[in-house]
């Protein structure tokens, strides 16, 4: 069954509230008529509330870039799912490679986050993907399998379609070195086949590609049979580029 594509913009640690406001005001009219694609922005925590207010009634959903698995407690600097729900967030990125690399997020940790996000009704986007050395060593598939099996350890098979996966080869993130169409399709199809070993819902699980997606390359990536959307970093900081990428999902 074909899925409604999801295009999410990860703003990372960019944009004050005033800058975020400028960006969303430029984005909203450009995506207003894009029926048939789900669009999300992932601003920093400090701009979530303002973006939720500004996006109200539009086609743009507001996701967070991270979450803690506990509801509350002594976890200095962290943000819980009830806090995200409280401000109106509707989804969350989990396990971005920057969180894994710089903040020590492990597969086991992600396995505890995923069911908490799902139980709260948030749309999780679980990021997976290999480094350049892992690809060169022929370890891409074993790595993807390990990351997916570990992260889904506590997810009921009937809930697999409620999780979106972002296949993001680390060597393609922020480098301008986008994966070839063949590499993207192969990895996304492999990820789906791993999920399909545990759940019939895998056909409906949205698998996004991420890594140097631009207005120029988006349409052909999004047309691949196992690519159901995109997770966009740098190009999501331009309303024109991000809107063009969203439109590319409809071609
Ligand atoms: C990302 O950070 O998830 C990402 C894909 O970044 P970029 O589009 O800049 O490569």
């Amino acid at each position: 069954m074909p899925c409604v594509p999801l295009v999410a913009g990860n703003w990372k640690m960019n944009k004050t509230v005033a800058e975020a406001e400028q960006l969303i005001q430029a984005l909203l009219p450009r995506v207003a008529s894009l029926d048939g694609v789900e669009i999300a922005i992932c601003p920093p925590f400090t701009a979530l509330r303002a973006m939720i207010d500004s996006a109200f009634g539009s086609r743009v959903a507001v996701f967070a870039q991270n979450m803690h698995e506990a509801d509350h407690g002594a976890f200095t600097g962290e943000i819980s799912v009830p806090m995200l729900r409280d401000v109106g967030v509707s989804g969350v990125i989990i396990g971005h490679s920057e969180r894994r690399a710089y903040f020590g997020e492990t597969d086991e940790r992600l396995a505890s986050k995923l069911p908490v996000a799902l139980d709260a009704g948030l749309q999780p986007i679980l990021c997976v993907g290999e480094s350049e050395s892992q690809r060169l060593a022929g370890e891409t598939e074993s790595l993807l399998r390990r990351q997916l099996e570990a992260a889904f350890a506590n997810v009921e098979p009937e809930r697999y379609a409620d999780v979106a996966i972002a296949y993001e080869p680390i060597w393609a993130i922020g480098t301008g070195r986008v994966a070839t169409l063949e590499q993207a399709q192969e990895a996304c199809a492999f990820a789906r086949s791993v999920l399909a070993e545990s759940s019939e819902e895998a056909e409906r699980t949205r698998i996004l590609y991420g890594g140097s997606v631009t207005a120029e390359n988006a349409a052909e990536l999004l047309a691949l049979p196992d690519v159901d959307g995109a997770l966009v970093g740098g190009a999501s900081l331009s309303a024109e580029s991000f809107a063009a990428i969203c439109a590319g999902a409809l071609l």
Side-chain angles (χ1 to χ4, degrees):
M1 189 189 303
C3 321
V4 177
L6 169 64
V7 178
N10 175 12
W11 293 2
K12 309 195 185 190
M13 197 175 72
N14 293 293
K15 305 294 176 190
T16 62
V17 173
E19 291 165 347
E21 201 56 60
Q22 277 189 341
L23 180 51
I24 197 169
Q25 292 310 335
L27 180 65
L28 291 176
R30 288 176 164 86
V31 297
S33 63
L34 297 183
D35 292 331
V37 54
E38 262 179 57
I39 301 169
I41 55 169
C42 315
F45 288 128
T46 46
L48 284 174
R49 185 57 190 251
M51 294 305 94
I52 285 157
D53 289 346
S54 297
F56 185 77
S58 80
R59 0 184 358 89
V60 175
V62 180
F63 288 14
Q65 298 175 15
N66 186 30
M67 55 165 274
H68 194 280
E69 62 274 24
D71 277 3
H72 55 84
F75 301 105
T76 302
E78 291 291 320
I79 301 286
S80 73
V81 166
M83 292 168 180
L84 296 176
R85 295 297 295 168
D86 187 41
V87 290
V89 163
S90 53
V92 61
I93 300 174
I94 292 181
H96 191 279
S97 63
E98 288 153 14
R99 300 283 326 161
R100 294 178 188 253
Y102 307 141
F103 303 100
E105 295 225 11
T106 60
D107 287 329
E108 292 64 38
R109 188 84 195 282
L110 304 176
S112 62
K113 292 188 180 198
L114 211 40
V116 173
L118 285 171
D119 287 349
L122 293 183
Q123 161 74 73
I125 302 179
L126 170 76
C127 299
V128 295
E130 80 287 359
S131 66
E132 180 150 47
S133 59
Q134 287 166 327
R135 175 162 282 273
L136 291 174
E139 294 168 4
T140 300
E141 293 195 349
S142 56
L143 184 273
L144 291 178
R145 172 178 291 282
R146 194 167 71 240
Q147 289 183 326
L148 289 167
E149 288 180 348
F152 275 78
N154 305 319
V155 178
E156 301 295 326
E158 54 275 16
R159 301 220 64 182
Y160 275 36
D162 298 333
V163 181
I165 310 291
Y167 166 62
E168 299 209 301
I170 296 169
W171 47 271
I173 296 179
T175 59
R177 285 178 56 204
V178 65
T180 64
L181 297 179
E182 195 184 3
Q183 288 168 329
Q185 167 57 25
E186 206 172 66
C188 291
F190 178 76
R192 195 181 305 284
S193 75
V194 171
L195 300 179
E197 291 169 14
S198 314
S199 169
E200 288 176 2
E201 293 295 301
E203 270 310 302
R204 298 194 308 117
T205 302
R206 289 185 290 191
I207 303 187
L208 320 183
Y209 167 78
S212 296
V213 175
T214 62
E216 291 69 37
N217 63 28
E220 50 184 7
L221 285 161
L222 288 160
L224 292 169
D226 280 286
V227 174
D228 309 308
L231 181 56
V232 184
S236 71
L237 297 174
S238 150
E240 292 79 4
S241 299
F242 188 60
I245 292 167
C246 295
L250 301 176
L251 299 176

